[in-house]
Amino acid sequence: MNSEILGISIIFLATVLLAFPLGKYMGKVYEGDKTLWDKLFNPFDKQLYRLSGIDPSRPMNWKQHLTALLTINLVWFLVSMFVLMNMGWLPLNPDANPGMSADLAFNTTVSFVSNTNLQHYSGETGVSYLGQLVLMLFQFISAGAGMAIAAVVMNAMKERTTEKLGNFYFYFVRSCTRILLPLSLVLALIFLFNGMPMTFKGKDQFISLQGDTVQVSRGPAAAMVAIKQLGTNGGGFFGANSAHPFENPNYFTNIVENIAIILIPIAFVFALGYVLKRRRFAWMVFAVMTIGFLLLLIPSVHDEMKGNIAIAKLGIAQPLGSMEGKEVRFGSAASAFWGITTTCTSNGSVNAMHDSFTPLTGMFAMLGMMINSFYGGVGVGFLNFYVFIIIAVFISGLMVGRTPELLGKKIEAKEMKIAAIIALLHPFLILAGTALSSYIYSRNPAVYTAWLNNPGHHGFSEMLYEYTSSSANNGSGFEGLGDGTPYWNITCGVVMLLARFLPIIGPVAIAGILAGKKYVPESAGTLKTDTGTFGIMVFAVIFIIAALSFFPALSLGPIAEYFGMK
Amino acid sequence: MKQHILPAIKLTVVCIVVFMVIYPLVIWVAAKAVPAKGEGEKVVVNGKVVGYALEGQRFTSDKYFNGRPSAVNYNAAGSGGSNKGPSNPDYLKEVSNRIDSFLVHNPTVKKEEIPSELVTASGSGLDPDISLKAALVQVNRIAAIRNRAPEKIQALIQSQKTRSLNGIDKVNVLQLNVALDAMK
C-alpha cells in the first residue's frame, strides 16, 4: 500500500529533478545561447532551413508569427485529410484497414493538428501503418508549433520595447529537432528494450494454451509512444492506449512514460525563468501550478486506492483498490496519478479507463482539463496560465489602487478584454457543447441510446467529459461514449479547432501589444508579481473562473453520482 | 500569408522526411538488436507459439488459473475496457454474477476472500497478470481437478511470482499455466 504511494512520489520528484536542467537547456535553445549539442544540431538545422527556403534570422512581429503558424497548420490539415481518407489503398497497410469517412477524418485531423489526439477510432482497425506514421508526424510538429508560440510569448515578456519577436520557424525547428527528437529517441530505445513492438509486419496468429485461435495486432508502436508522451499528445497506437501491454509493458515503462507526460510542461516554467532572468517569478508560477496539481491529485489517489463503495457492498475484497478498467501491473495509485497528470497537462493518454474511475476522481480529471494550466500542454499550458496572470495583475492592481503592470508593461483595457474573452471561451465551448448534446439526448433518449454507456449522472458526465477534453485539447475520454458518429465527430472537431487557435492568438496578441509598449522600470509603486501574495491571487483567479463556471455542471455529473452512491 | 505558403509547404515536406521516415527507421533498425526483434516476445511450448508474454489470453477452463474478465474477450486484434461507471446498476449486477460463478467453481473460497480484480474487467482487456492473492485463491480448485497437493501448486505460484517496482506481487497468468502444464 505505502509502496504504491512511494512509487508515484518517486515519479513526481524525478520529473522535477529532470525538468530543472531541461528547462535551462530549453531556455538556451530558444535564446540561441551556446549548448553542448550545437556542433551536432547547427549543421542539421541549417540544412532544414536551406531546403525549406527559410531565413531563420529574419525577425517577425506578433501578427507575422500568427500568420506563419496558421499557414503551416493549414498545409498540415490538408496532408492529414488526404492520407486518412485514402490510406485504404496507400502503402504500409498489411492489415487492410479501410480509409476514414470524411467526418471521422475531419475529427481525427483536427484532433492531431491541434495537439489534442482525441480518437474516435481504434488504432488496431481504424488506421493503417502509414496513417499511424502521419499521426506520429503531427505529434512532433503540433507540439513543436505550440512550443514555438510559447517561446514567442516568453520573448515578448522581456524588459524592452520592441516589435521584433524572433522568427517563428527558428523556434519551431529548434523545438522539434533539439528538444523533442533527441528525447524521443532515448525514450523509444528504452521502450524497445522493455518489449514494446516496432515492426511493420501485420497481425500475427497463434493457438492459445486453451485452444482458441488468437490474432495479435502489432506495429511500429515504440516510435510513436515516445513522442505521444513527450509532446503532450496522448494519441495511442492501440485502442486501449497506454493500458495496452504492448504500449506500456511494465511498471518501469509506466514510470518513464509518466515522467515524459509532465516533463516538458514543467521544464517550460524553468525555461521561462531562464529567458526572463527572473528565477523568483518562475518559482512563483511553479508553486501555484504544483499546489493546484497536488490538490487534484491527492484525493484522487486516495479514492482509487480505497476502492469502489458499490463493489465493497457486494462483499468482496479490494486489496488493490478500484480495479475496474485498471491493470494489475500498475495498481490504483499509479493509475490515479497518471489520470491526473495526463489531464492537467493536456496529454490525454491513459493507463486506466477514466470512465470507470470512482466519481470524484473522474471529476478531478475533468477539473484538471477545465483549468488546463496546472503545467498544461507543451507551450500552450503556459499561454493559458499567462492569461490568468494578466487577469490577476489587473484585478489586484485595482484592489490596491496601483497601476496594473506586468514585468514593467502597463496592462490596459484592450489586453484585459482579450484575456477575459479567452478565459471565458473555454467554459463557453464546454458548457454549450454539453448543453446542446444533453438537450438532443433528452428530447429523444430512445433514438440516441447508443450515445451513453452508462445511465443517469454518469451518462451526463460522459458527455461533459468529451467536450471538456476537446476544448482542453486533451484527448482522453470517458470512452463509453458512442462518439463515432458524424454529430460527435463534427461538434468535437469544431470545439477542438476553436479551442486550439483562439487561445493561441489571444495571448500572442496580448504579449505582442505589451512588448511594443514603453518599458517602465520597477519602482516602489509597482505591484510585485514574484511574491507569494501574487501567487495566491493568481490561484484565486483560476479557482473562481473554474469553480464558478463549472460547478453547476459538475454537480449534475460526478458530484451527484458520488452522493448517490453513499 | 502569400510569403508563408511556400516555406510552409517545403518545411512540411522536410518534416515528413525527418520525423515520419528517418526517425521511425532509426528505431526500427535499433529494434533488430533487441531479443524479440521488436515483434513482441513469444511464449513457445514444444516448438509451438502459444502466446505473447506481454498479452493476456482467455483462460476459462477450471484446470487453468483464470485471468481477469475482459471487455473485449481477450481479442488481441482489438483492445479496451468495459468503460462501465462505478455506480451503473447493470454493471454491478454483472460483477455480482461473476462473484456467484466464481464461488460455484471454487466452493472452498469465501466471498470476502475474492480480490476484486478477478471479477472486474481490466483497462486493456488484455491484462496479462493477476495479483498473488488472486492466484492463491484458485489453488484448491486446481489442486482438486489436477489431483495434486495444494502445497505443490502454491509452491509453483511462489516460483512464478514477480514483484512490480511499486510493490505489487503478481503472476503472469500465461507463464503460470505453462508451468502448471509442465508440472511433473
Side-chain angles (χ1 to χ4, degrees):
Chain A
M1 177 103 166
N2 285 331
S3 56
E4 282 194 63
I5 290 175
L6 185 69
I8 58 175
S9 309
I10 288 171
I11 300 178
F12 184 71
L13 293 177
T15 314
V16 176
L17 287 179
L18 288 170
F20 200 69
L22 178 67
K24 201 171 164 196
Y25 169 75
M26 284 165 57
K28 286 181 180 172
V29 165
Y30 291 132
E31 287 290 275
D33 294 350
K34 268 202 181 117
T35 70
L36 277 177
W37 309 94
D38 284 350
K39 280 204 180 105
L40 185 65
F41 291 121
N42 281 348
F44 184 65
D45 285 0
K46 213 171 160 187
Q47 288 305 313
L48 299 196
Y49 297 133
R50 194 180 60 81
L51 289 169
S52 320
I54 286 166
D55 173 11
S57 61
R58 197 174 65 89
M60 299 177 171
N61 64 27
W62 66 269
K63 285 179 188 158
Q64 289 167 323
H65 274 291
L66 289 176
T67 321
L69 171 83
L70 295 174
T71 312
I72 201 165
N73 271 275
L74 182 67
V75 174
W76 297 345
F77 181 88
L78 298 174
V79 171
S80 172
M81 281 300 278
F82 173 77
V83 174
L84 292 179
M85 291 183 73
N86 294 287
M87 63 195 167
W89 57 268
L90 287 166
L92 288 181
N93 190 7
D95 294 337
N97 291 334
M100 285 184 182
S101 64
D103 58 295
L104 183 56
F106 168 72
N107 182 284
T108 308
T109 294
V110 171
S111 166
F112 278 78
V113 168
S114 66
N115 198 247
T116 306
N117 294 207
L118 189 75
Q119 295 169 296
H120 286 181
Y121 63 91
S122 218
E124 292 93 336
T125 49
V127 272
S128 69
Y129 290 164
L130 182 73
Q132 297 273 27
L133 289 177
V134 169
L135 297 177
M136 186 187 76
L137 166 72
F138 289 121
Q139 295 187 325
F140 273 103
I141 57 187
S142 70
M147 291 163 76
I149 284 298
V152 174
V153 172
M154 290 198 293
N155 187 336
M157 288 168 78
K158 287 186 191 169
E159 299 171 0
R160 59 178 175 9
T161 304
T162 181
E163 295 272 300
K164 294 173 181 164
L165 302 173
N167 182 284
F168 174 77
Y169 301 111
F170 174 83
Y171 292 137
F172 168 72
V173 167
R174 285 187 158 226
S175 303
C176 293
T177 60
R178 296 180 190 221
I179 300 166
L180 296 173
L181 185 61
L183 286 174
S184 298
L185 282 168
V186 173
L187 245 62
L189 289 177
I190 294 176
F191 295 153
L192 278 184
F193 281 92
N194 281 280
M196 209 180 278
M198 183 69 202
T199 175
F200 287 92
K201 290 183 184 167
K203 280 179 201 148
D204 191 18
Q205 189 170 318
F206 66 85
I207 308 228
S208 78
L209 216 52
Q210 207 180 257
D212 303 328
T213 304
V214 182
Q215 287 197 317
V216 182
S217 285
R218 300 178 292 181
M224 184 171 180
V225 174
I227 183 60
K228 133 184 144 175
Q229 305 298 25
L230 283 167
T232 57
N233 294 290
F237 193 92
F238 300 100
N241 208 301
S242 279
H244 196 291
F246 273 168
E247 209 160 324
N248 199 354
N250 53 47
Y251 193 80
F252 176 68
T253 56
N254 189 68
I255 293 177
V256 175
E257 288 188 35
N258 211 333
I259 288 176
I261 288 177
I262 38 174
L263 180 61
I264 296 183
I266 294 182
F268 241 100
V269 180
F270 298 125
L272 176 77
Y274 180 87
V275 170
L276 298 184
K277 310 270 178 282
R278 282 175 184 268
R279 293 261 170 80
R280 271 182 64 98
F281 183 71
W283 281 111
M284 183 278 292
V285 174
F286 177 75
V288 173
M289 289 178 166
T290 303
I291 290 168
F293 168 72
L294 291 176
L295 286 176
L296 300 176
L297 176 73
I298 292 166
S300 305
V301 171
H302 171 265
D303 274 18
E304 292 310 301
M305 290 183 79
K306 202 176 97 193
N308 179 353
I309 296 176
I311 296 278
K313 282 182 189 153
L314 297 176
I316 58 170
Q318 299 190 76
L320 295 180
S322 168
M323 283 307 284
E324 181 72 33
K326 294 195 184 70
E327 302 280 298
V328 170
R329 62 192 180 286
F330 309 139
S332 290
S335 300
F337 182 79
W338 182 300
I340 297 303
T341 49
T342 196
T343 44
C344 279
T345 59
S346 114
N347 184 297
S349 66
V350 297
N351 75 348
M353 295 302 128
H354 288 194
D355 215 345
S356 302
F357 274 156
T358 52
L360 292 188
T361 310
M363 178 179 81
F364 289 121
M366 280 192 249
L367 263 175
M369 298 186 284
M370 287 161 174
I371 292 161
N372 210 19
S373 57
F374 290 154
Y375 308 131
V378 289
V380 289
F382 172 66
L383 298 192
N384 295 334
F385 199 84
Y386 181 71
V387 169
F388 289 127
I389 291 180
I390 299 280
I391 297 175
V393 165
F394 194 78
I395 292 177
S396 38
L398 292 183
M399 280 167 66
V400 296
R402 286 180 184 174
T403 342
E405 279 170 21
L406 176 64
L407 307 179
K409 298 297 172 75
K410 210 190 264 179
I411 292 173
E412 288 166 301
K414 191 171 178 192
E415 296 85 72
M416 189 54 203
K417 273 184 205 156
I418 302 174
I421 289 172
I422 297 303
L424 294 177
L425 175 80
H426 187 52
F428 172 77
L429 288 175
I430 294 171
L431 297 174
T434 311
L436 177 68
S437 304
S438 307
Y439 175 74
I440 294 175
Y441 179 85
S442 63
R443 291 264 299 182
N444 222 336
V447 175
Y448 298 106
T449 175
W451 276 12
L452 304 182
N453 192 36
N454 292 287
H457 302 296
H458 198 87
F460 176 79
S461 298
E462 287 182 332
M463 296 191 281
L464 178 63
Y465 194 105
E466 188 74 0
Y467 286 107
T468 306
S469 172
S470 299
S471 184
N473 285 170
N474 183 278
S476 62
F478 270 16
E479 290 298 341
L481 186 77
D483 51 21
T485 63
Y487 172 80
W488 286 98
N489 286 338
I490 293 167
T491 55
C492 290
V494 171
V495 168
M496 284 188 280
L497 201 58
L498 294 174
R500 166 73 170 178
F501 292 105
L502 295 181
I504 283 180
I505 293 170
V508 170
I510 297 173
I513 295 169
L514 289 183
K517 286 189 183 179
K518 201 170 116 245
Y519 175 69
V520 195
E522 268 182 35
S523 67
T526 310
L527 177 82
K528 291 255 186 301
T529 49
D530 55 4
T531 60
T533 320
F534 184 71
I536 293 170
M537 197 64 206
V538 177
F539 191 88
V541 165
I542 294 174
F543 182 78
I544 290 167
I545 290 182
L548 284 188
S549 340
F550 294 113
F551 184 71
L554 290 172
S555 316
L556 290 176
I559 296 177
E561 186 184 14
Y562 173 75
F563 284 111
M565 287 171 77
K566 277 282 172 189
Chain B
M1 174 152 181
K2 252 190 213 157
Q3 50 167 337
H4 290 291
I5 285 186
L6 214 56
I9 293 174
K10 284 186 189 166
L11 186 56
T12 303
V13 173
V14 171
C15 285
I16 288 176
V17 174
V18 175
F19 300 112
M20 208 178 126
V21 181
I22 298 177
Y23 164 70
L25 267 183
V26 169
I27 309 295
W28 180 75
V29 170
K32 303 288 157 203
V34 179
K37 303 220 179 319
E39 292 174 13
E41 188 195 333
K42 296 176 175 110
V43 178
V44 180
V45 175
N46 300 329
K48 264 202 205 146
V49 175
V50 295
Y52 279 72
L54 289 176
E55 292 193 336
Q57 53 182 254
R58 201 164 67 100
F59 285 110
T60 43
S61 158
D62 273 351
K63 66 176 186 159
Y64 284 121
F65 283 95
N66 293 355
R68 302 186 58 191
S70 162
V72 295
N73 203 13
Y74 282 103
N75 168 18
S79 56
S82 70
N83 289 308
K84 295 291 186 195
S87 63
N88 185 333
D90 293 341
Y91 158 68
L92 294 169
K93 186 92 196 52
E94 199 180 339
V95 174
S96 175
N97 290 341
R98 287 186 194 137
I99 296 172
D100 294 342
S101 152
F102 188 86
L103 291 173
V104 170
H105 288 266
N106 301 271
T108 61
V109 174
K110 289 197 210 74
K111 205 181 201 182
E112 59 270 22
E113 292 168 351
I114 305 174
S116 66
E117 90 251 24
L118 274 180
V119 289
T120 52
S122 61
S124 62
L126 302 170
D127 195 340
D129 304 311
I130 51 176
S131 69
L132 181 64
K133 277 200 185 111
L136 290 174
V137 84
Q138 304 184 42
V139 163
N140 283 344
R141 180 192 80 222
I142 298 207
I145 212 163
R146 295 210 172 217
N147 225 348
R148 307 262 180 191
E151 294 74 30
K152 280 211 164 157
I153 307 278
Q154 274 167 5
L156 182 79
I157 294 174
Q158 293 294 346
S159 73
Q160 290 286 322
K161 178 186 86 175
T162 53
R163 175 167 290 185
S164 252
L165 287 172
N166 60 348
I168 295 178
D169 286 326
K170 61 186 177 52
V171 283
N172 181 305
V173 183
L174 174 60
Q175 313 267 25
L176 179 61
N177 283 328
V178 168
L180 186 64
D181 272 350
M183 236 171 128
K184 291 266 150 45

